[in-house]
Amino acid sequence: MTDPGLELTELTAARLVEGYRKGEFSPEEATRAALERAEQIQPEVNAFVRLLPDEALAQARESTGRWRRGEPKGLVDGVPTTVKDIILLRGAPTLKGSDTISEQGSWDEDAPSVARLREQGAVFIGKTTTPEFGWKGVTDSPRSGVTRNPYDPARTAGGSSGGAAAAVALGAGPLALGTDGGGSVRIPAAFCGIFALKPTYGRVPLYPASAFGTLAHVGPMTRDAADAALLLDVIGVPDHRDWSALAAAPDSFAAGLSGGVKGLRIAYSPSFGGQVAVQPAVAAAVRRAVERLAELGAYVTETDPDFTDPVDAFHALWFSGAARVTQQLGPEQRKLLDPGLREICAAGARLTALDYLAAVGVRMELGRRLGRFHESYDLLVTPTLPITAFEAGTEVPKGSGHRRWTGWTPFTYPFNMTQQPAATVPVGVDGEGLPIGLQLVAARHRDALVLRAAHALYEAGVAGASRNGFPGVFPSEGGRPAS
């Protein structure tokens, strides 16, 4: 029987599994609580395109039976989990936020990350919102409308994995699968006060292959770094459908969380050498967290990686990918697209092969420069974003002068180009109670180091803006998410 004082929707995945093992509560109870929370938040937050109560409760009943027999299937048996509606989930349509995709079809295949979770007993409670084809850094689409921020429903949740971030922040499942082609797990996680990791490219297999090519990653979105490590242990194994997938990691990511940051060489770049204008509250919160890393024994140097903003090259790669994903659409279908997506598709279609290869050349040089940088520094720390969440329903903040979402995300997309592991950690809130994220970046294949450093911030009490409680339908106090 569940302790009446225990709020299951506030527990991490690791704590849920511990509770199942001890018989404190069951997967059925946790799943019912997550579904109730999802239904409660949906009218105002719009985090889901589809809830799966019947399927989830059936999975949870099976999991409850396994735990009672002492025979769990795996590391996440019975844990309520959400899947971004870019990623295939067997039995549920994957519509990608687009009116150009029909619900008709068998929908009989799991993506690799979903398949691994299913094998280990995860309970899938629903599919979360995305902008159309995941094209931008906020979450609204012609098909599913606007997804709103857990801290203030007038603000955006970020994107493109905005529904996933909002769901985790509000207790509608502690584990979420997102995708990240230019910041799409880190942006919404920073705006919603949760943790997210874009792993090294290939660490999590991706199928079907993304039209955005090797910019696209699948990543865990969770309450903390420990849950992300647990999730990465499950999903970060090869799958024959992705020929670019990496070999299995030699060690468990969850087992490697301890050790702290003592002795690590950390480069702190507050603004990429003055290239980025950062809001004062964001800059101050990130600096305080960096100072704490130094107190924990890291060797911190304020310095900047040697590169200029690669946005033009990123646009060439991104816009051509968008043109590719919509290539088969006829004129009438194109009229159904998000107007901003139509614009970048048209721009991408005008690019030549030489334009694309020139962008690849910029990308390769950027990778070389960052590789050299990480010979001197184990970790790079930046703000995740230079701003906190702005008004919902717009691609860029009003009055910012930015044309596209990349104008306000300069800290995220460079590391999709270089394929490095990059995580966002919540390190406080601004004067309006909106979350602030710190980004940790390491050299390729050093995902375990990013997770270890992030975990050290949680252990030190620096991280965790979304763990202040779940007070009401929407917050009456700054710094707390809605529930």
Side-chain angles (χ1 to χ4, degrees):
M1 178 69 78
T2 305
D3 179 345
L6 187 65
E7 180 58 74
L8 293 176
T9 59
E10 294 187 27
L11 302 184
T12 63
R15 179 65 182 91
L16 286 177
V17 169
E18 178 189 6
Y20 301 158
R21 183 176 296 111
K22 293 179 177 178
E24 296 176 324
F25 42 79
S26 71
E28 283 182 87
E29 291 172 300
T31 298
R32 287 187 189 277
L35 285 167
E36 289 172 4
R37 180 57 59 84
E39 291 171 355
Q40 179 189 17
I41 68 174
Q42 182 62 13
E44 289 199 79
V45 179
N46 189 33
F48 291 89
V49 297
R50 187 178 302 269
L51 287 171
L52 304 166
D54 294 339
E55 298 91 332
L57 289 170
Q59 294 164 10
R61 282 191 290 272
E62 293 177 1
S63 176
T64 296
R66 290 191 294 268
W67 279 106
R68 286 175 178 166
R69 295 190 303 271
E71 300 172 350
K73 287 177 72 172
L75 297 175
V76 292
D77 199 344
V79 178
T81 303
T82 64
V83 179
K84 182 181 179 181
D85 199 35
I86 291 285
I87 301 171
L88 294 177
L89 173 65
R90 191 176 74 218
T94 299
L95 305 177
K96 304 182 180 182
S98 181
D99 285 326
T100 67
I101 299 177
S102 170
E103 290 193 29
Q104 302 304 311
S106 57
W107 304 109
D108 58 359
E109 189 172 22
D110 284 331
S113 51
V114 174
R116 302 294 85 76
L117 281 161
R118 195 183 297 277
E119 289 166 1
Q120 298 216 23
V123 172
F124 300 106
I125 67 167
K127 302 209 77 179
T128 54
T129 52
T130 175
E132 196 164 20
F133 299 111
W135 80 272
K136 59 183 175 181
V138 294
T139 301
D140 58 71
S141 73
R143 184 156 206 146
S144 54
V146 178
T147 298
R148 299 179 180 276
N149 193 285
Y151 286 71
D152 179 352
R155 314 269 183 153
T156 179
S160 63
S161 306
V168 171
L170 292 171
L175 299 181
L177 291 179
T179 62
D180 190 317
S184 288
V185 300
R186 289 161 289 156
I187 295 165
F191 276 178
C192 294
I194 68 164
F195 181 84
L197 170 70
K198 180 193 75 67
T200 299
Y201 179 80
R203 171 50 54 213
V204 180
L206 178 61
Y207 170 86
S210 172
F212 297 103
T214 58
L215 294 172
H217 304 59
V218 174
M221 304 178 72
T222 57
R223 295 262 180 82
D224 60 20
D227 267 9
L230 173 69
L231 182 50
L232 193 57
D233 277 339
V234 175
I235 65 176
V237 294
D239 187 289
H240 72 273
R241 293 172 290 177
D242 183 354
W243 61 267
S244 64
L246 299 174
D251 301 300
S252 161
F253 292 104
L257 288 173
S258 61
V261 296
K262 186 175 182 179
L264 292 181
R265 302 164 301 167
I266 294 179
Y268 167 44
S269 178
S271 62
F272 280 168
Q275 296 182 75
V276 183
V278 179
Q279 286 181 354
V282 173
V286 172
R287 183 173 290 276
R288 285 193 298 270
V290 170
E291 290 170 352
R292 188 71 179 111
L293 288 169
E295 292 169 1
L296 293 171
Y299 298 109
V300 176
T301 304
E302 188 166 329
T303 188
D304 303 298
D306 177 26
F307 68 87
T308 55
D309 187 355
V311 67
D312 291 337
F314 179 80
H315 281 169
L317 300 170
W318 193 252
F319 294 178
S320 58
R324 177 72 178 88
V325 81
T326 59
Q327 186 177 24
Q328 303 306 316
L329 299 181
E332 292 305 309
Q333 284 183 302
R334 286 184 179 274
K335 292 178 182 178
L336 302 175
L337 294 175
D338 180 327
L341 176 58
R342 276 203 307 271
E343 288 181 16
I344 72 163
C345 289
R350 292 192 293 269
L351 294 167
T352 67
L354 289 178
D355 294 329
Y356 187 90
L357 289 174
V360 170
V362 172
R363 183 181 190 180
M364 294 174 71
E365 173 60 15
L366 182 65
R368 183 190 71 80
R369 287 172 181 263
L370 267 298
R372 184 176 62 190
F373 184 80
H374 282 289
E375 289 185 349
S376 300
Y377 299 101
D378 300 303
L379 289 167
L380 169 65
V381 174
T382 74
T384 307
L385 297 166
I387 60 175
T388 52
F390 53 90
E391 57 271 27
T394 62
E395 183 185 345
V396 301
K398 291 178 181 176
S400 66
H402 299 310
R403 173 64 178 154
R404 297 262 78 104
W405 63 272
T406 43
W408 53 270
T409 62
F411 293 113
T412 59
Y413 57 78
F415 305 108
N416 291 80
M417 298 178 75
T418 61
Q419 303 185 340
Q420 296 171 245
T424 183
V425 183
V427 291
V429 294
D430 69 7
E432 296 180 273
L434 298 169
I436 293 166
L438 170 150
Q439 182 173 233
L440 292 162
V441 184
R444 293 175 73 244
H445 310 296
R446 301 203 72 186
D447 306 71
L449 180 61
V450 170
L451 287 165
R452 191 179 103 201
H455 183 64
L457 287 171
Y458 279 96
E459 290 286 284
V462 177
S466 70
R467 301 185 67 182
N468 294 336
F470 299 82
V473 176
F474 277 102
S476 58
E477 302 175 49
R480 293 188 172 190
S483 62

